[in-house]
């Protein structure tokens, strides 16, 4: 996931969709889902959409069940000179399924000789893929592993590559057309894919294909909807907002919807003219200059001098129905506002719903939302607004291996008007400040969350932290401001290393296996590191292949933990032995880790999902070749160099790197990673 320190530097409404609704699709004879949906009960429909979620165990084992080991030979680390390709073990095949600028249903193909336009990008796969989920259609006897929808986040854009420039526009030279193209390259793509003749293909055209962008109308729901801090001149009700931005990790629900998480939203806002930040704005990292997108120079919605409350309308979890292209995305404010990483849904034995999220910032927090109403497996519609009511908690990790979930509820734990929390809406809009107030544990950049499919154990990636290890004790002041950059909280049991450049993975179990419990037990699953590093503090304790900067986490249905990494740059300096970014598999019973895939230079490996039968993996490669100077092609020409399958841009001109989604299969047709 991109972090603020890593970034380079007139509202519009889209016309109502003319595409068919899900009801229209069900009623069409030619729709393969028609007979299933017409002839099945609501129970079967919901069960099919939710099958495979980590919520079906009625027992709570004392340890993860053995999976019998990892069934592949690890690939070597990709060290300098790095190969400009993805490499997988012998016996597996990896190829590109969809790349930035490919049409999602119909429309033009990206042309690397030309700048992107809004009109083209609205019909094409967005930029810089991140979290994603495979939603299978119904198949014979259950879920199909040959056809489904994939929902994919597009986290951010690199403006020079997007605009086909070699240097940034001069002051005052950014155009509204350029900004609209950038906004259209953000958000989420939904596309249809199927396996035909043994190979996966994108279905074009598809009635399900959809782009959700930085200008797509979204509904605001939950306790913060309509609050004074959510209202703008364009939306005096505080219930409608254009767009979702910086969509990083994700989640999915047992009722078949996609949860996309807004992370570094602060970077899109700036100020034209003199501007003084409030404590709320400082705590969320807003600044007059932003991250260099420069939208605020020509789009008044992102100029904080003209729209002070617009930033408050971002930083939420957004729910999307991938099966209904006409359904409006909904920002679920009961789940809190912060730099959301992941929305891992876990359903308890009594159908209580909990959602786990990290706040991706050095020295920020881990959260759990517990819904008030229970999941109804027999009535999909009954779950439609289930995430609008519940309790948001923040985690405190104790030194003795126990932990506490602290409720962020107005009137409790100092969350009162005297401390600038007028109501529950303000607690949620100011979630970071609320967590500061209740003395939660500051963590080493909480990233993706994954839940074991049978034990409900929760695993969390803590990517890194170079701001820990000295006084003052807290990096976050209780008045809502962020202290000086030199502030470094001390090491603690759950964050045991100063200058934690390689990160670690932590896990916990809720008391008695109850997802609504306010207590838990935790341990550190792995301290990432380089076993050849001269510093004992950085060698880690990995059983198997070394890695650093764990980011994406995902469990397959058999219980293998898949780990994706996001270290900056290439395999130099502290990473010379570890190599470039990778995808690894781990056996929770033994903690063994093996390197499954290596990646092109200067990219992030992110986004992972699979088919119900475990025989196909979909994996994302973000920003190949990125070097923050605008000269991408000096680092990578992947994927159109043809090293991972045929290019989609044959004869189109210069080869430029493109974020892409991969499909990985096993040559003998077996399960990925299995013995």
């Amino acid at each position: 996931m991109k972090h603020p320190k890593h970034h380079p530097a007139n509202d519009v409404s889209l016309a109502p969709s003319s595409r068919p609704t899900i009801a229209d699709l069900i009623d069409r004879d030619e729709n393969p889902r028609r007979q299933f949906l017409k002839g099945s009960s609501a129970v079967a429909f919901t069960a099919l959409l939710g099958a495979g979620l980590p919520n079906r165990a009625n027992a709570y084992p004392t340890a993860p069940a053995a999976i019998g080991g990892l069934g592949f030979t690890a690939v070597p680390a990709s060290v300098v000179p790095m190969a400009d390709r993805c490499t997988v073990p012998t016996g597996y095949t990896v190829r590109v399924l969809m790349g930035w600028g490919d049409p999602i249903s119909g429309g033009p193909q990206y042309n690397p000789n030309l700048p992107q336009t809004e009109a083209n990008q609205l019909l094409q796969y967005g930029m810089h893929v991140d979290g994603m989920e495979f939603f299978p259609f119904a198949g014979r006897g259950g879920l199909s592993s040959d056809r489904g929808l994939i929902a994919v986040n597009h986290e951010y854009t690199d403006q020079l590559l997007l605009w086909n420039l070699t240097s940034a526009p001069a002051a005052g030279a950014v155009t509204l057309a350029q900004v609209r193209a950038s906004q259209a390259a953000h958000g989420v793509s939904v596309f249809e894919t199927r396996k035909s003749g043994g190979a996966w293909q994108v279905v074009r055209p598809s009635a399900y294909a959809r782009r959700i962008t930085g200008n797509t109308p979204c509904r605001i729901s939950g306790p913060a909807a309509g609050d004074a801090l959510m209202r703008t001149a364009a939306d005096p009700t505080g219930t409608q907002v254009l767009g979702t931005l910086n969509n990083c990790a994700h989640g999915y629900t047992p009722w078949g919807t996609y949860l996309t998480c807004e992370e570094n939203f602060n970077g899109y806002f700036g100020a034209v003219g003199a501007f003084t930040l409030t404590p709320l704005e400082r705590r969320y990292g807003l600044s007059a200059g932003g991250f260099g997108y420069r939208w605020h120079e020509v789009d008044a919605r992102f100029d904080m001098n003209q729209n002070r409350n617009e930033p408050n309308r971002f930083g939420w979890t957004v729910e999307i129905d991938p099966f209904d292209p006409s359904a409006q995305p909904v920002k679920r404010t009961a789940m809190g506002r912060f730099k959301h990483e992941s929305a891992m849904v876990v359903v308890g034995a009594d159908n209580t719903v909990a959602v786990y999220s990290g706040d991706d910032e050095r020295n920020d927090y881990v959260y759990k939302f517990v819904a008030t109403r229970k999941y109804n497996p027999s009535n999909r519609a009954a779950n439609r607004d289930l995430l609008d009511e519940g309790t948001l908690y923040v985690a405190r990790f104790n030194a003795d291996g126990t932990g506490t979930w602290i409720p962020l509820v107005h009137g409790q734990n100092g969350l009162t008007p005297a401390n600038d929390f007028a109501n529950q809406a303000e607690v949620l809009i100011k979630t970071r400040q609320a967590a500061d107030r209740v003395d939660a544990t500051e963590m080493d950049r909480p990233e993706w969350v994954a839940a074991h499919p049978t034990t409900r154990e929760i695993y969390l990636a803590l990517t890194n932290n170079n701001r820990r290890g000295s006084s003052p004790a807290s990096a976050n002041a209780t008045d809502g401001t962020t202290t000086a950059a030199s502030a470094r909280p001390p090491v603690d049991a759950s964050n045991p290393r100063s200058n934690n450049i390689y990160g670690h993975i932590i896990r916990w179990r809720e008391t008695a296996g109850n997802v609504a419990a306010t207590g838990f037990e935790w341990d550190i699953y792995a301290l990432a590191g380089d076993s050849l590093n001269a510093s004992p503090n950085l060698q880690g304790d990995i059983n198997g292949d070394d890695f650093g900067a764990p980011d994406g986490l995902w469990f397959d249905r058999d219980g293998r933990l898949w780990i994706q990494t996001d270290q900056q740059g290439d395999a130099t300096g502290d990473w010379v032995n570890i190599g470039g970014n990778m995808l690894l598999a781990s056996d929770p019973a033994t903690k063994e880790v093996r390197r499954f895939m290596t990646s092109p230079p200067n990219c992030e490996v992110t986004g992972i999902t699979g088919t119900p039968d475990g025989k196909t993996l979909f994996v994302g490669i973000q920003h190949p070749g990125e070097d923050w100077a605008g000269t991408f092609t000096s680092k990578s020409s992947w994927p159109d160099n043809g090293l991972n399958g045929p290019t989609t841009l044959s004869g189109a001109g210069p080869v430029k790197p493109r974020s892409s989604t991969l499909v990985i299969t096993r040559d003998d047709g077996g399960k990925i990673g299995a013995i």
Side-chain angles (χ1 to χ4, degrees), residues 164-254:
N164 196 35
L165 299 174
T166 56
S167 60
V174 172
T175 69
L176 184 60
Q178 289 173 323
V179 167
R180 290 287 185 253
S182 181
Q183 292 166 347
H186 279 77
V188 175
S189 290
V190 178
F191 69 92
E192 183 179 346
T193 185
R194 71 187 311 165
K195 187 164 63 173
S196 177
W200 284 91
Q201 303 171 357
V202 177
V203 176
R204 301 184 180 97
S206 169
Y208 297 99
R210 181 184 189 188
R211 282 302 321 281
I212 295 162
T213 74
N215 282 311
T216 299
C218 300
R219 178 165 66 89
I220 301 170
S221 70
D227 186 80
L229 290 174
M230 300 289 279
R231 300 174 197 158
T232 64
D235 174 28
T237 69
T239 60
Q240 292 286 326
V241 61
L242 292 182
T244 179
L245 296 171
N246 212 260
N247 304 86
C248 204
H250 75 294
Y252 66 109
T253 71

Side-chain angles (χ1 to χ4, degrees), residues 48-189:
L48 281 170
L49 289 177
L53 284 169
N55 62 6
R56 298 296 178 245
N58 291 315
Y60 193 65
T62 57
I67 59 173
L70 303 172
F72 61 91
T73 300
V75 298
S78 182
V79 297
V80 174
M82 295 179 67
D84 195 15
R85 65 180 301 163
C86 293
T87 301
V88 293
T90 301
Y92 289 83
T93 296
V94 57
R95 70 177 185 86
V96 176
L97 179 65
M98 178 85 98
W100 167 50
D102 289 346
I104 60 169
S105 180
Q109 174 68 55
Y110 162 71
N111 187 332
N113 295 298
L114 300 174
Q116 276 287 59
T117 66
E118 178 186 27
N120 286 353
Q121 188 66 81
L122 288 173
L123 300 173
Q124 297 167 337
Y125 208 42
M127 205 174 197
H128 291 339
V129 296
D130 213 298
M132 63 178 169
E133 191 62 42
F134 179 80
F135 291 87
F137 284 94
R140 289 187 177 89
L143 293 168
S144 173
S145 289
D146 296 331
R147 183 186 177 212
L149 303 178
I150 297 182
V152 184
N153 290 343
H154 301 291
E155 186 180 6
Y156 72 110
T157 59
D158 281 279
Q159 310 289 58
L160 299 187
L161 193 61
L162 181 83
W163 297 337
N164 196 35
L165 299 174
T166 56
S167 60
V174 172
T175 69
L176 184 60
Q178 289 173 323
V179 167
R180 290 287 185 253
S182 181
Q183 292 166 347
H186 279 77
V188 175
S189 290

Side-chain angles (χ1 to χ4, degrees), residues 441-650:
T441 302
E442 299 169 65
M443 306 296 287
D444 288 351
R445 275 193 65 198
E447 289 260 9
W448 285 43
V449 182
H452 192 280
T454 57
T455 69
R456 298 194 195 95
E457 276 186 327
I458 307 298
Y459 291 65
L460 168 72
L462 295 164
T463 297
N464 52 45
N465 191 354
N466 63 358
R467 291 185 180 175
R468 183 179 290 278
S470 62
S471 60
S474 175
N476 303 320
T478 57
D479 65 356
T481 65
T482 300
T483 58
S486 59
R488 298 169 185 261
V491 297
D492 57 38
S494 55
N495 302 275
R497 295 191 289 193
S498 60
N499 192 29
N500 184 16
I501 61 173
Y502 293 132
H504 57 292
I505 298 172
I506 197 169
R507 64 180 173 181
W508 62 87
R509 297 180 177 196
E510 304 286 13
T511 300
N514 178 8
V515 300
T518 57
F520 58 91
E521 296 180 350
W522 66 269
D523 70 352
I524 292 177
Y525 182 72
L527 284 173
D530 176 2
S531 58
L532 300 179
N533 195 295
S535 170
N537 185 53
L538 297 176
Q539 290 172 0
D541 63 358
I542 298 167
N543 174 19
D545 293 322
D546 290 342
F547 67 90
D551 192 318
L553 296 180
W554 179 75
F555 273 103
D556 63 28
R557 286 166 172 79
D558 290 340
R560 277 171 290 272
L561 176 64
W562 295 86
I563 304 167
Q564 299 175 308
T565 69
D566 182 23
Q567 62 99 344
Q568 295 298 302
D570 54 22
T572 59
D574 291 321
W575 304 90
V576 66
N577 298 317
I578 293 176
N581 283 316
M582 62 189 76
L583 170 67
L584 309 104
S586 180
D587 182 345
T590 64
K591 294 189 177 182
E592 181 188 2
V593 178
R594 289 189 196 174
R595 190 183 302 106
F596 181 81
M597 186 186 80
T598 57
S599 64
N602 293 62
C603 79
E604 172 187 350
V605 181
T606 184
I608 178 170
T609 187
T611 53
D613 63 6
K615 296 180 179 181
T616 303
L617 279 186
F618 302 99
V619 178
I621 297 294
Q622 189 186 100
H623 63 71
E626 192 162 59
D627 66 356
W628 313 113
T631 56
F632 280 69
T633 52
S634 68
K635 301 289 186 180
S636 175
S637 58
W638 187 90
D640 296 305
N641 56 18
L643 295 181
N644 286 124
T647 174
T648 59
L649 296 183
S650 178

Side-chain angles (χ1 to χ4, degrees), residues 416-458:
T416 63
N419 291 321
D420 202 29
F421 299 99
N423 49 37
Q424 183 63 21
E426 289 201 8
V427 170
L428 296 167
I429 295 167
K430 304 173 182 178
T431 297
R432 281 185 165 182
Q433 290 154 294
D436 296 342
R437 175 67 57 180
V438 302
D439 194 28
T441 302
E442 299 169 65
M443 306 296 287
D444 288 351
R445 275 193 65 198
E447 289 260 9
W448 285 43
V449 182
H452 192 280
T454 57
T455 69
R456 298 194 195 95
E457 276 186 327
I458 307 298

